[in-house]
Amino acid sequence: MRHLIDPTDLSVEEIQQLLELAIDIINNRQKYAHVCDGKKLATLFYEPSTRTRLSFTAAMMELGGNVLGFSDARTSSVSKGETVADTVRVVSSFADIIAMRHFKEGAPNVAAQFSRIPIINAGDGGHAHPTQTLTDLLSIMRELGHLDNLTVGLCGDLKYGRTVHSLIKAMKRYEGTRFVLISPDELRLPDYIKNILPSNFVEVSTLEEALPMLDVLYMTRVQQERFANQDDYERLKDSFILDAKKMTLAPEHMIVLHPLPRVNEINIDVDQDPRAAYFRQVENGKFVRMALIYTLLQKTQETAKQSKTLSATTHRCTNDRCITRTEPVSLLAYTDQEGIERCAYCDHCLKMN
Ligand code: NCD
């Protein structure tokens, strides 16, 4: 059975197939209207969401399937102290596929260990968000026509922005990708992502410097809910604001993406610009999730491919947001290309133990 926990769980070829399937769905809606008749998607959302949950729900409904689940963990047995492992074992009896969003990093990995049905990570803490990445890739493909040789500016909260982490992991596999990083010092990429960046990346301190070089500008919100100290959030929240005046510095073909919700980082005067693709991006999210659900339900006989070699470790992860800190799961690690031992759930460095 195949899960989608991290974007690299899918090969570049498999991503291409998903994008092509999404485009076929867009062009032939009727053909797919009943392909998931009788199937059930469980949406287990332990953290707030509008777009992602509704988009999964709409996707399953448009495939002919049904949806059950919760959007507020306080109304489920989680509030009685149930573990992710137990919840998932139970839900495996009621549904055919699960989309899970959790505030703990690595929670979907735990779910995948105990589930009898495919797990889709719909966002885990500040870690990963692979279905947003599929949405982003489909948007770039539809807007610009290709995924190679692109200069992609990533702006805002690169530290806690899980959409950015997953987008980097996916885009770095395409020929000629170049990343331009635009963030306050305090909100730079975590080291496990920085270590895998292609060597041609650049860091700049203003949007004005970045804009003329970009094909794609990926704006993100400063992730208030991940800050330990709210004063830091207040200080950093308006570090980068895109407006119509700054857009005059951008190439004609550049597109602006944003996973949404936006807070303040894109002025509404940009919305009318044809290069503002963020509302078109939302719709792509539904189509690519249709492609994903349909595909994973067909791959139930396939064995999951493990991109990292995991081994048992005695080192406990020191990341407070990691699922291993709160749930009794086996401690697993892998060694990255720099020789650093990392937590298999949240990618945090274990060496500091
Ligand atoms: C993103 C998320 O949840 O990480 N939203 C989404 O899924 N569309 C981005 C965000 O919340 O800032």
Side-chain angles (χ1 to χ4, degrees), residues 47-49 51-52 101 122-123 125 129 132 161-163 220-223 225-226 258-261 289:
E47 203 184 38
S49 165
R51 246 153 313 271
T52 306
R101 169 168 288 190
H129 194 349
Q132 181 62 46
R162 56 193 174 194
T163 61
T220 62
R221 157 183 87 86
V222 176
Q223 307 278 302
E225 65 276 34
R226 316 261 178 245
H258 190 309
L260 303 177
R289 288 182 176 103

Side-chain angles (χ1 to χ4, degrees), residues 171-298:
M171 289 275 327
K172 68 163 264 196
R173 300 191 290 183
Y174 295 92
E175 183 82 33
T177 304
R178 184 165 175 239
F179 294 106
V180 178
L181 310 177
I182 316 138
S183 75
D185 280 352
E186 293 96 322
L187 298 180
R188 286 192 175 156
L189 287 173
D191 64 344
Y192 77 92
I193 295 290
K194 195 146 192 186
N195 287 350
I196 60 161
L197 280 178
S199 55
N200 61 354
F201 78 90
V202 278
E203 271 180 305
V204 297
S205 50
T206 64
L207 268 169
E208 285 84 344
E209 276 172 273
L211 280 164
M213 358 178 196
L214 303 181
D215 300 304
V216 177
L217 172 61
Y218 197 87
M219 294 295 294
T220 62
R221 157 183 87 86
V222 176
Q223 307 278 302
Q224 179 174 14
E225 65 276 34
R226 316 261 178 245
F227 278 71
N229 177 347
Q230 285 305 305
D231 291 343
D232 288 343
Y233 169 72
E234 289 300 327
R235 187 167 49 78
L236 296 170
K237 66 177 186 185
D238 291 331
S239 300
F240 298 99
I241 299 178
L242 182 69
D243 57 20
K245 183 159 173 275
K246 292 193 186 105
M247 282 297 283
T248 61
L249 301 169
E252 274 304 300
H253 72 276
M254 189 197 83
I255 54 165
V256 183
L257 297 179
H258 190 309
L260 303 177
R262 97 173 120 184
V263 182
N264 225 5
E265 55 284 344
I266 303 182
N267 195 303
I268 54 168
D269 66 7
V270 180
D271 296 357
Q272 305 312 318
D273 191 311
R275 295 169 292 182
Y278 31 91
F279 292 117
R280 299 192 288 275
Q281 188 183 356
V282 177
E283 215 196 351
N284 288 327
K286 180 184 72 182
F287 294 121
V288 89
R289 288 182 176 103
M290 288 172 78
L292 178 69
I293 293 169
Y294 181 37
T295 302
L296 288 181
L297 285 175
Q298 287 176 316

Side-chain angles (χ1 to χ4, degrees), residues 4 18 21-22 25 36 41 45 49-60 63 97 99 101 120-123 129-136 138 163 259 281-296:
L4 178 60
L18 280 174
L21 178 56
I25 291 172
C36 289
L41 164 74
F45 276 61
S49 165
T50 310
R51 246 153 313 271
T52 306
R53 190 173 56 81
L54 294 184
S55 145
F56 268 110
T57 304
M60 191 50 161
L63 293 168
I97 186 162
R101 169 168 288 190
I120 301 172
N121 178 6
H129 194 349
T131 65
Q132 181 62 46
T133 299
L134 294 176
T135 305
D136 303 338
L138 180 59
T163 61
Q281 188 183 356
V282 177
E283 215 196 351
N284 288 327
K286 180 184 72 182
F287 294 121
V288 89
R289 288 182 176 103
M290 288 172 78
L292 178 69
I293 293 169
Y294 181 37
T295 302
L296 288 181

Side-chain angles (χ1 to χ4, degrees), residues 118-167:
I119 299 286
I120 301 172
N121 178 6
D124 62 323
H127 185 222
H129 194 349
T131 65
Q132 181 62 46
T133 299
L134 294 176
T135 305
D136 303 338
L137 297 179
L138 180 59
S139 302
I140 296 171
M141 190 69 188
R142 291 187 77 196
E143 299 281 335
L144 298 178
H146 59 104
L147 292 169
D148 52 1
N149 295 309
L150 292 173
T151 300
V152 182
L154 302 162
C155 178
D157 189 344
L158 309 188
K159 180 177 182 186
Y160 298 119
R162 56 193 174 194
T163 61
V164 168
H165 306 160
S166 289
L167 186 60

